[in-house]
Amino acid sequence: MKKHLIDTFPFNEKRSLLTLVENRTSYSFDSCELNLFETHQTVENVNLVFDHFVFTSMLKGKKIMTLPDRPSFEYLPGESVILPPGELMNIDFPEAEKGNPTQCIALTISDEIILDTVHKLKELHPKEDSWGDWDIDPSIFHMNNNFDLADAINRIVRITKSEKGKIKDIMIDLTLKEMLVRLMQTQARVVFESSYNQLAGNNSLAAAIQFIKTNLRNNIDLGKVAEVACMSRATFFKKFKESMGQTPAHYILKERIKLAKNELKNTSQNITAVCYSCGFENLSHFIKAFKQETGYTPKSFQTSKTF
């Protein structure tokens, strides 16, 4: 899966290096606080805690993070971690050094804007009964960024750098709400990716995803997918996009790309054979879509030693 990165922050004119360990600069707004962290030396057992819900995203370098009652894990660029208020983070920085610091952002977000965003989604865009509900799930705390989530975070950083006056708070609030929606959509994808087989019997979205995954190598009629979900085509498309953050067609494309990546790395098939065995009907479309999603052509991906 391609990880989507957040722009490295060039706030040099506003930042003074206070310490080599977790140097922190904060930018406060009505509904959130943007914290920018840099660590300039290898260090272990750094503790950090926030009073509000916090969304963090790695920019550069690597952390080893340990959370209460959870095993330690590597935290890498292109990934995000969310934590409830008061959750203690214990962090090691195995690669940080002066001139090549580890960089991370942390957004602490007010309860009011989270509750308001969730309430509006439930009121204006309710999910189907079996599809779960709009909410942030703290159990899904470590995830890869997708393009839309990374883009929303990048815009919050850009607004912080470029806008002036009270308009900045308004723009931050609007973009923050979008980021929260993208976060909930990302979590929904994590849930259904990991448990669609178990949920398919009584969850129409999981049943649709199961049908898609079972038929990736074949031509998939989206009208048939909507039937599996027991919805009209128009309703299914609308609800799928709201819940998952992407259209059914784009979801199918991304799943076929994932299948193709596995085939390219684990079989001796040539590019053309992989194209058609993974449900694509046109070689040039396959190559273009693969590069768009992964940043590599199928051939360069197949021959690379780094995946």
Side-chain angles (χ1 to χ4, degrees), residues 10 14 26 28 47-48 57 123 130 143-144 175 177 182 193 247 258 263 273 283 297:
K14 292 188 176 182
S26 297
S28 294
N47 290 323
L48 190 62
S57 195
E123 179 184 7
S130 67
M143 68 208 83
N144 290 330
T175 312
K177 287 183 176 181
R182 300 299 186 191
E193 282 296 301
T247 65
K258 284 165 60 177
E263 298 270 301
L283 181 59
T297 65

Side-chain angles (χ1 to χ4, degrees), residues 79-212:
E79 299 177 352
S80 289
V81 167
I82 62 168
L83 294 169
E87 186 95 334
L88 178 67
M89 294 175 267
N90 181 265
I91 310 167
D92 298 339
F93 298 85
E95 298 177 354
E97 58 186 10
K98 195 170 183 180
N100 187 31
T102 297
Q103 295 182 331
C104 180
I105 66 170
L107 268 170
T108 56
I109 306 171
S110 72
D111 293 340
E112 289 77 15
I113 198 165
I114 295 174
L115 292 172
D116 182 59
T117 304
V118 170
H119 174 74
K120 283 193 167 99
L121 287 169
K122 290 179 177 180
E123 179 184 7
L124 301 175
H125 303 284
K127 292 189 179 183
E128 293 298 303
D129 289 342
S130 67
W131 290 24
D133 208 349
W134 290 109
D135 210 349
I136 295 174
D137 185 347
S139 69
I140 305 172
F141 60 92
H142 183 204
M143 68 208 83
N144 290 330
N145 294 331
N146 57 66
F147 174 81
D148 291 324
L149 182 58
D151 181 59
I153 303 164
N154 275 329
R155 279 185 281 124
I156 290 173
V157 174
R158 287 198 296 270
I159 292 166
T160 301
K161 292 190 290 183
S162 61
E163 296 298 328
K164 305 292 184 184
K166 195 63 180 174
I167 192 71
K168 180 183 286 192
D169 277 297
I170 296 171
M171 295 176 73
I172 288 287
D173 280 6
L174 292 171
T175 312
L176 187 60
K177 287 183 176 181
E178 180 191 342
M179 192 212 79
L180 290 169
V181 174
R182 300 299 186 191
L183 172 60
M184 286 182 265
Q185 290 171 332
T186 302
Q187 288 189 322
R189 287 199 294 274
V190 171
V191 169
F192 285 105
E193 282 296 301
S194 62
S195 56
Y196 64 91
N197 277 325
Q198 299 96 304
L199 297 173
N202 56 14
N203 185 301
S204 59
L205 177 56
I209 290 172
Q210 184 184 60
F211 179 85
I212 288 169

Side-chain angles (χ1 to χ4, degrees), residues 68-87:
D69 303 318
R70 292 165 180 161
S72 299
F73 59 91
E74 288 190 349
Y75 190 12
L76 302 171
E79 299 177 352
S80 289
V81 167
I82 62 168
L83 294 169
E87 186 95 334

